[in-house]
Amino acid sequence: MRTLIREALLYGALSAFLLCVDVVILWILVRDFSWHYLLAASVSFSVGLVVGYLVSITTVFKFRRIKRQQMEFGSFAAIGIVGLAINAAALSFGVAY
């Protein structure tokens, strides 16, 4: 049970950190490089996805249910793509209204 609590706390902290990374990259790409906000959001989210996966497998989670790293990343990315779609919809709605 301690491992589960530890992993949940570490993953929560990682998620908060990655949110900051995502927002900073988004802000820089839009402000300094004049990228369209949806493209910038996709890039910043993708950077967060890759960094999140790498930190998760090396630091956060001790037990890995999926042994093949390609399948594991694919599963992680699939969940991330759902998050990206929610992110894009929220940004579009926020900008439009």
Side-chain angles (χ1 to χ4, degrees):
M1 186 58 131
R2 285 180 181 242
T3 301
L4 180 63
I5 293 170
R6 177 192 163 281
E7 288 179 350
L9 290 173
L10 284 173
Y11 189 73
L14 174 62
S15 296
F17 170 73
L18 292 174
L19 174 63
C20 295
V21 169
D22 185 0
V23 170
V24 167
I25 292 172
L26 171 65
W27 183 56
I28 289 170
L29 291 175
V30 170
R31 187 194 65 179
D32 296 342
F33 295 99
S34 301
W35 284 27
H36 188 272
Y37 69 93
L38 288 178
L39 177 61
S42 298
V43 169
S44 65
F45 192 89
S46 298
V47 169
L49 177 74
V50 172
V51 171
Y53 174 73
L54 293 174
V55 173
S56 290
I57 65 169
T58 58
T59 306
V60 175
F61 299 110
K62 298 297 179 196
F63 174 75
R64 296 171 68 181
R65 184 176 306 263
I66 301 172
K67 300 300 181 196
R68 289 185 47 215
Q69 198 167 16
Q70 294 86 356
M71 285 191 72
E72 183 181 54
F73 181 75
S75 299
F76 195 85
I79 294 167
I81 289 169
V82 172
L84 178 59
I86 293 168
N87 187 0
L91 278 170
S92 295
F93 181 80
V95 169
Y97 301 102

